[in-house]
Structure formats: structure tokens, C-alpha cells
Amino acid sequence: MSTTTVHLVRHGEVHNPDRLLYGRMPGYRLSDRGELMAGRVADHLADSDITLVRSSPLLRAQQTAAPIAAAHGLEVTSDPRIIESGNHFEGHRMGHGEAKLSDPRNWRWFRNPLRPSWGEPYREQVARVIAAVHDARAAAEGHEAVLVLHQLPIWVTRRSAEGKPLFHDPRRRQCGLCSVTSLRFVGPHLADVGYAEPAAELYAGAVDATGGRLT
């Protein structure tokens, strides 16, 4: 049977001066550092046998996908199934105002962290991403494909692939900016999972999706 690899690439740092949880909000673009990160991941994948590049419809993912696709003479196509996870606190700063855990009005959103109750259920994220992964695997059979998406959908998909519980400590996610989580298939069957951080040297001082600094 043929071997096919689907790389799940997280987008680069986003220009987010207000430190909001931007989620699916439109218009959030890569920062200057994020564009450098996109270049690093494109260089990392330049020698790979990539025949397909698909992206979340959100701007930051499209911008990250562009140099990867250009290096292989490909067009970026959009797949809505790999969009960011939904979150009730989108548009707010975590720990401030309407997103404060100490505000009793918010307690209903935190009642079940296993699901999680504040946003799109983990299982629903895994289901849609896995469907997109298998479509990409079939389209790139015997070669490699790239899907550019977002931290949480990548991380819960990886945990599912490795047979681990989907509930986790967000501080312990191994899914850095412009990281590459690689799913290698033999035929339709997952054989192993790899991980790389080609933009790691740019992490110092970078801001993550919740507005906090990585280091």
C-alpha cells in the first residue's frame, strides 16, 4: 500500500494589539513576525513531496498557506471544516470583563471542562478535522498534503489519533506557532504521528491566540 502524509500546520503569530480571543472573527492577519514564521515553515516543507495545500478560510491561515503552496507551484484551496474552534468568549480578553471566571454570570460556561462547555465540543472538532484529513489523504495518495489550521483543532485531533483523552491542560499543548504535526498513513491507516517546530527560534516574545506571550 502507498504511504501518504498529511501535515497539519498551525498558522503564524497574529497581529492582535488588543489581545483579544479572536477565534473566528474575520480580518485577523499575520503580524510581521507571523509572516517570517510562515516563511520558515515553507522552507521546512520545501523538499517535501507536497501535491495539495488546503487552508482554513480565516485570513491568518490563508496567509500562512500561501508561501507553502507557492514553493510547490500549487494553489491554496479553502476547506471550512478546518476553521478555528467556536468559543463563547470570542471577541473578549480572557480574565477580563465579560470573560472573567470570577463573574457568577459566566459560571455556566465553565461548568463542564471535559466537553468543553464554553465552546465547540472537542469531539465535534475532531470529527470535522479528521474528515478533512482523510479527504486530503485520498486526494494526495502516495504523496504529501498540507492543511493549515488552528491550534486547538490540531491538538485534539492529534490526541484522538494517539488514543488519548481529548480533555487536557491548555498550557501543555505541543502545537507552537507554525508547527507541523504530521500524520503518516499506510493506505487508509494511520501509521505514526510526527511533530516539528521550524519557527521555534522566533517564539521569544511572540503572542499566542489568547493574547498571552509564549515566553
Side-chain angles (χ1 to χ4, degrees):
M1 292 185 286
S2 61
T3 298
T4 308
T5 300
V6 180
H7 303 286
L8 305 182
V9 175
R10 185 186 173 193
H11 63 79
E13 184 191 48
V14 174
H15 179 68
N16 183 19
D18 295 325
R19 305 290 178 85
L20 299 181
L21 180 65
Y22 41 77
R24 296 177 177 179
M25 295 170 63
Y28 276 83
R29 61 176 175 82
L30 294 181
S31 65
D32 291 343
R33 190 201 315 257
E35 291 180 358
L36 291 175
M37 291 177 174
R40 295 293 176 87
V41 73
D43 290 344
H44 174 76
L45 294 169
D47 294 329
S48 299
D49 183 23
I50 293 169
T51 59
L52 177 74
V53 179
R54 291 176 179 166
S55 171
S56 157
L58 294 172
L59 178 59
R60 59 191 183 272
Q62 297 278 333
Q63 289 178 309
T64 302
I68 300 172
H72 297 274
L74 300 170
E75 296 292 328
V76 178
T77 57
S78 180
D79 189 334
R81 295 174 296 182
I82 54 175
I83 197 168
E84 177 65 283
S85 57
N87 192 304
H88 172 76
F89 295 107
E90 183 178 287
H92 301 286
R93 290 184 65 190
M94 294 306 298
H96 298 266
E98 295 181 30
K100 289 177 66 175
L101 177 58
S102 59
D103 187 337
R105 293 173 298 180
N106 289 332
W107 290 351
R108 62 182 173 133
W109 301 113
F110 295 104
R111 70 183 183 275
N112 183 5
L114 298 175
R115 185 177 184 265
S117 51
W118 56 81
E120 182 184 10
Y122 294 139
R123 292 190 183 280
E124 291 182 12
Q125 295 179 53
V126 172
R128 60 181 172 82
V129 174
I130 285 293
V133 165
H134 280 293
D135 282 355
R137 179 199 58 77
E141 186 75 38
H143 303 280
E144 299 176 49
V146 170
L147 301 182
V148 181
L149 60 163
H150 310 273
Q151 185 192 61
L152 181 54
I154 293 173
W155 183 240
V156 292
T157 298
R158 175 177 171 180
R159 289 184 68 84
S160 176
E162 294 177 335
K164 297 177 180 178
L166 302 186
F167 173 69
H168 62 279
D169 181 345
R171 297 168 297 181
R172 300 177 67 85
R173 291 174 187 162
Q174 188 184 43
C175 190
L177 293 165
C178 275
S179 60
V180 183
T181 299
S182 300
L183 307 177
R184 188 176 68 88
F185 293 87
V186 176
H189 306 293
L190 180 65
D192 55 58
V193 179
Y195 180 76
E197 292 185 342
E201 66 180 42
L202 298 174
Y203 286 175
V207 176
D208 70 11
T210 62
R213 291 198 176 275
L214 294 176
T215 58

